[in-house]
Amino acid sequence: MPHGQDVEGDTSDISSKYECLQCGKIVEAETHPGECEECGGDFQNRAKSVE
Ligand SMILES: [Zn+2]
């Protein structure tokens, strides 16, 4: 293992995308971001397929 920094950016396994239900802001986080920093709205996890 010469280098371990080559794959930085491929963190889809631990990060999920969350979309603000009010303003549509997208954030990527490992855990639920809580409330939107823009409008204080709730985030919805959009990592899993939307039915
Ligand atoms: Zn928002």
Side-chain angles (χ1 to χ4, degrees):
M1 303 182 167
H3 302 291
Q5 304 295 329
D6 290 343
V7 294
E8 188 170 10
D10 184 14
T11 57
S12 57
D13 285 346
I14 57 173
S15 295
S16 299
K17 284 191 173 67
Y18 294 88
E19 178 178 11
C20 176
L21 297 176
Q22 291 196 51
C23 72
K25 178 181 176 65
I26 305 295
V27 300
E28 196 166 333
E30 297 179 27
T31 59
H32 198 285
E35 62 182 29
C36 179
E37 63 182 13
E38 298 289 335
C39 70
D42 292 324
F43 280 105
Q44 179 182 52
N45 191 338
R46 48 196 309 273
K48 295 167 184 169
S49 60
V50 182
E51 298 170 37

